[in-house]
Amino acid sequence: KQEGFRNMIKDQFIKHTDACVEDFLNGNVKSLFGNLKQLSHVVFDHFKPMIPSKFHQLWQRGIETNDYYLKLCGSGGGGYILGFTQDLEKAKKSLEGHTLEVVYNF
């Protein structure tokens, strides 16, 4: 079981995280959002116990609608959820009732 988890970390999590960093640094927004979707999906599939249950449906909806993608940040119980969207107004509508704070614009 541990070997499978290690392989997922190496072959999926690290791969998509590294691709996101490269895309961000190079300003490749289209590729960044494709990699963010993949990373969001990997986190949802393999780190679900770390995502507060009240966010499970929102997380999946973002992946399915492409309105936004969510990513876990931090560790040790003091983390937060970072969201990415190409259309802020669409994301605000999809996430109505949740407090959003814009930290960076592309």
Side-chain angles (χ1 to χ4, degrees), residues 92-105:
K92 283 180 180 178
K93 189 173 181 182
S94 290
L95 296 165
E96 192 172 1
H98 296 273
T99 304
L100 306 180
E101 180 181 342
V102 175
V103 294
Y104 186 83
N105 281 313

Side-chain angles (χ1 to χ4, degrees), residues 46-84:
H46 298 283
F47 296 90
K48 201 171 191 176
M50 296 177 192
I51 301 168
S53 59
K54 69 180 184 176
F55 291 100
H56 289 180
Q57 187 177 8
L58 285 175
W59 202 289
Q60 191 163 8
R61 186 180 333 135
I63 294 168
E64 290 171 355
T65 64
N66 298 309
D67 289 351
Y68 56 88
Y69 305 118
L70 301 177
K71 182 188 180 310
L72 283 175
C73 296
S75 62
Y80 58 95
I81 296 173
L82 187 62
F84 296 84

Side-chain angles (χ1 to χ4, degrees), residues 15-32:
K15 173 186 165 186
H16 294 303
T17 299
D18 287 352
C20 287
V21 171
E22 286 295 316
D23 288 338
F24 180 83
L25 292 175
N26 293 320
N28 191 344
V29 176
K30 184 177 181 179
S31 181
L32 172 63

